[in-house]
Amino acid sequence: MRVTFATEAAPGRPNEDFVAATPDAAVLLDGAGTPAGSDSGCSHGVTWYSHTLGSTLLATMAQSAGTLTELLAEGIKTVSSLHDGTCDLAHPGSPSATVIMLRRTDDALEWLVLADSVLILDVVDAPEPVIICDDREAQVGALHRAEMDALDSGSDEHVSAHRRYVETLRSYRNRDGGFWVAATDPLAADQALTGSMPVDRIRAAALLSDGASRLVDRYHLRTWRQVLDTLDESGPDGVIREVRVAEHSDPQGSRWPRGKTFDDATALYCCP
Ligand SMILES: [Zn+2]
């Protein structure tokens, strides 16, 4: 595959997204779980979690022929074993991450999508791109975000409401009727969306963290097709630039209410 990617942290914060690729595989993770003032039971933190799980997954994808679901379950177990002696892995706020895995075999492109990062497939002869996203967290979140969305982003009240929102969502995490993410339970891998397609049917694929996909699914400034065009013409940097321009135009979140004024934004584009 020909692969390009870019990632940019929210200003002044460590980047909790992780992206990496080989010529035959790509991973994108978006870490989550611990707003300021919240406890997580883990001394390592969200950035450590997403970066360690992501690099573990990419390494096993290069070495093993197991299914992507099996490799994700193994990866979650491996990362748990790295800190179960020092951290409280039963804590409801332990670090977590969304996961996209993409692998090219001789004749197929395989994918796995867990939680709300977005996979876009540009399929030959299809008028619209195919979008693969697991939106269970957004469905649960919609029931609980009214208070936060009514407040100005960046205000102390908004910061507190965002923390309460994240803590409320923890009670829905990794259980039936809620939403599933990579954290400490390897069974979450069984909840991922998976699929494959003959490689000659796919013109291009794009992986976006929700900090980048918000250009389409929250701000409604672009279509998925336009994002593919930007990726093709300007590369992943071009998409992230468009996201930041939009966010700077609405610093208080009055046009687009959101948990974070800026989020880590990551885009990967590949032509198999
Ligand atoms: Zn830890």
Side-chain angles (χ1 to χ4, degrees):
M1 301 192 290
R2 188 163 51 80
V3 185
T4 52
F5 58 76
T7 183
E8 186 181 296
R13 290 181 45 82
N15 194 343
E16 296 175 344
D17 285 3
F18 177 82
V19 62
T22 69
D24 302 312
V27 296
L28 182 148
L29 293 85
D30 176 358
T34 323
S38 250
D39 188 30
S40 75
C42 170
S43 60
H44 301 88
V46 173
T47 299
W48 174 86
Y49 182 79
S50 61
H51 291 220
T52 305
L53 179 60
S55 45
T56 300
L57 293 175
L58 192 66
T60 53
M61 287 164 81
Q63 293 157 5
S64 164
T67 67
L68 298 180
T69 304
E70 289 166 351
L71 298 186
L72 176 56
E74 281 304 313
I76 291 170
K77 278 193 238 176
T78 300
V79 177
S80 289
S81 73
L82 298 177
H83 64 150
D84 60 0
T86 55
C87 302
D88 173 14
L89 301 196
H91 193 290
S94 57
S96 64
T98 74
V99 177
I100 300 182
M101 301 162 73
L102 191 70
R103 178 167 66 185
R104 199 211 138 121
T105 62
D106 287 343
D107 49 13
L109 192 69
E110 306 171 341
W111 61 82
L112 175 150
V113 177
L114 179 64
D116 63 0
S117 295
V118 178
L119 171 64
I120 313 173
L121 298 173
D122 189 4
V123 179
V124 174
D125 295 333
E128 293 298 326
V130 175
I131 308 305
I132 298 163
C133 180
D134 167 10
D135 66 353
R136 282 171 284 189
E137 181 173 355
Q139 289 178 22
V140 171
L143 305 173
H144 296 283
R145 57 181 305 139
E147 182 204 5
M148 173 178 76
D149 284 348
L151 296 163
D152 284 350
S153 286
S155 65
D156 291 346
E157 293 79 8
H158 186 272
V159 170
S160 305
H162 180 242
R163 189 179 66 238
R164 282 194 297 279
Y165 170 76
V166 171
E167 291 179 351
T168 299
L169 254 57
R170 286 176 176 176
S171 61
Y172 294 91
R173 196 174 86 171
N174 286 359
R175 52 189 59 183
D176 291 328
F179 64 94
W180 294 80
V181 288
T184 56
D185 183 356
L187 291 177
D190 292 330
Q191 297 288 330
L193 309 176
T194 57
S196 71
M197 209 178 265
V199 76
D200 57 11
R201 287 198 57 211
I202 297 181
R203 194 178 295 118
L207 283 54
L208 305 175
S209 67
D210 71 340
S213 71
R214 46 171 56 183
L215 199 56
V216 179
D217 53 26
R218 186 163 286 268
Y219 305 157
H220 307 290
L221 292 173
R222 296 285 183 274
T223 63
W224 297 117
R225 169 60 64 198
Q226 287 170 327
V227 168
L228 286 173
D229 290 345
T230 303
L231 287 165
D232 193 46
E233 291 158 16
S234 315
D237 275 336
V239 171
I240 294 173
R241 257 195 315 275
E242 291 184 356
V243 171
R244 293 293 183 241
V245 167
E247 288 165 341
H248 281 290
S249 76
D250 181 40
Q252 296 188 323
S254 40
R255 182 174 177 192
W256 303 298
R258 50 200 193 267
K260 303 170 189 168
T261 307
F262 302 97
D263 197 1
D264 304 332
T266 303
L268 179 146
Y269 186 60
C270 73
C271 300

